[in-house]
Amino acid sequence: MILGIETSCDETCAAVIDQAGVVRSSVVASQVADHAAYGGVVPEIASRRHLDLVAPTVQAALERAGVAPQELTGVAVTAGPGLIGALLVGVSFAKGYAYGLGVPLIAVDHLAGHVRSLLLAEAPPVGAHLVLVASGGHTLLVDVDEDGALTTIARSLDDAAGEAFDKGARLLGLSYPGGPALSALAASGDPQRSTFTTPLAGRDDLAFSFSGLKTALSLAVARGDHERADLAAAYEDAIVRHLVERAQLGLAHTGRTCLGVAGGVAANEPLRRALSGLDCPVVLAPLAYCGDNAAMVARAALGQTPLPPIEAFALDAHARSPLG
Ligand code: KG4
Ligand code: ZN
């Protein structure tokens, strides 16, 4: 029975998973209300809220799972990438908790956590596959080989897909968090009434780019000749087209025949629909595990070797990831 802890950004999360990979509980304490007034995540506020929330969130996860602390066989924690102050709260708590219980500590990479969230799907990917990770901080294509080893084969040259949604939402006067708000507005618009060029169209290098789209949207908003809902629909459509195109290109480059989709943006309905139409098996992360959560961290830990005690004591948080 593994306890997972995730505090890399603005959600304080704890989850319990059993040895068979069944999630016994997953609790996400959102800080959205604390950051909304500022239009985005304020790192200092995030760290302080994690301090308030981490112990009660862990407690809630154990209670919901019906598991006593003494039944835990390991504590898994996100050690990076993310906001360093936010990460340090989770890492410090996890170190103390694991030490107090006398169980091993497992350090998990947040991006690997998103990739492993696919193992929580009803029909998880089997064998080697390619994963599109689209979140607020990263947009990646991660190759997963037969042994489960991860290699990033594509990154964004500038903004992440979630960032494009969030910045686009702000340009359209929508409140934070922007992704779901922009998508909701887009649902009432017509994507045909305005057009945004698909980023990097015609280029076959494996990379993503979203900052040009954001500039195009800001110019369109300034011109004021389109309904906001139509602009949102066309903007979302361009983001989805870009993600789908690059995922297809990644499949062609690697020869992988199965695609996984994970991360906060994987919750986007038009993206889920578009990718489900590809002519290869596509595994979508369950909606509950697209956004940040600790179940994916605990699930990733099941496939990892715990840190030897001396390294557990010395575990540090890191803002960047080799996968990112
Ligand atoms: O994975 P995640 O929870 O946190 C990071 O690791 O960054 O991703 C958060 C991102 C935010 O940018 C948010 O706007 C976006 O995911 N997002 C969405 C949707 N739900 C969340 N973007 C588009 N459509 C959605 N339905
Ligand atoms: Zn994330």
Side-chain angles (χ1 to χ4, degrees):
M1 208 73 77
I2 304 237
L3 169 71
I5 298 174
E6 152 66 45
T7 64
S8 69
C9 191
D10 61 341
E11 327 267 14
T12 315
C13 318
V16 176
I17 198 166
D18 67 21
Q19 226 49 44
V22 177
V23 178
R24 298 297 189 89
S25 67
S26 177
V27 180
V28 178
S30 173
Q31 300 181 8
V32 162
D34 301 294
H35 300 279
Y38 305 93
V41 179
V42 182
E44 180 74 17
I45 293 176
S47 310
R48 288 170 190 274
R49 282 301 282 156
H50 284 308
L51 269 181
D52 295 336
L53 293 168
V54 67
T57 305
V58 165
Q59 181 85 21
L62 289 169
E63 274 169 18
R64 277 187 214 175
V67 167
Q70 294 71 25
E71 293 175 73
L72 294 173
T73 53
V75 176
V77 65
T78 302
L83 303 172
I84 202 73
L87 288 163
L88 281 170
V89 174
V91 166
S92 304
F93 185 93
K95 275 187 183 183
Y97 208 70
Y99 182 69
L101 290 172
V103 298
L105 185 69
I106 305 126
V108 174
D109 182 287
H110 181 80
L111 299 170
H114 277 301
V115 171
R116 306 302 186 199
S117 72
L118 294 167
L119 300 175
L120 301 172
E122 250 171 57
V126 181
H129 56 284
L130 187 69
V131 181
L132 168 66
V133 178
S135 73
H138 296 85
T139 310
L140 310 170
L141 287 174
V142 180
D143 185 65
V144 185
D145 75 11
E146 292 73 10
D147 302 321
L150 309 182
T151 311
T152 298
I153 61 162
R155 298 172 166 81
S156 177
L157 302 172
D158 39 63
D159 293 348
E163 210 176 342
F165 271 103
D166 295 336
K167 289 179 175 173
R170 200 192 278 231
L171 287 168
L172 291 165
L174 301 168
S175 57
Y176 159 88
L182 190 148
S183 195
L185 177 64
S188 64
D190 180 351
Q192 308 297 341
R193 294 216 185 102
S194 169
T195 314
F196 294 100
T197 317
T198 314
L200 308 181
R203 277 177 55 172
D204 82 338
D205 54 335
L206 284 169
F208 296 90
S209 173
F210 295 96
S211 64
L213 266 183
K214 181 192 61 193
T215 307
L217 177 64
S218 80
L219 294 172
V221 169
R223 279 199 306 275
D225 52 0
H226 283 94
E227 291 291 326
R228 280 181 340 132
D230 293 340
L231 285 178
Y235 185 73
E236 179 180 56
D237 198 56
I239 294 174
V240 169
R241 281 199 314 270
H242 183 40
L243 291 172
V244 172
E245 258 188 37
R246 296 285 125 176
Q248 282 177 304
L249 195 63
L251 289 168
H253 268 253
T254 56
R256 300 300 187 208
T257 51
C258 172
L259 179 72
V261 192
V265 179
N268 183 265
E269 209 36 64
L271 179 67
R272 291 174 90 82
R273 232 179 298 126
L275 288 166
S276 302
L278 294 185
D279 60 353
C280 71
V282 176
V283 180
L284 303 168
L287 280 176
Y289 307 125
C290 287
D292 290 345
N293 67 89
M296 69 183 194
V297 174
R299 182 62 189 82
L302 280 183
Q304 285 186 219
T305 314
L307 295 168
I310 191 84
E311 285 180 33
F313 290 139
L315 177 65
D316 200 357
H318 46 91
R320 295 193 172 277
S321 156
L323 291 171

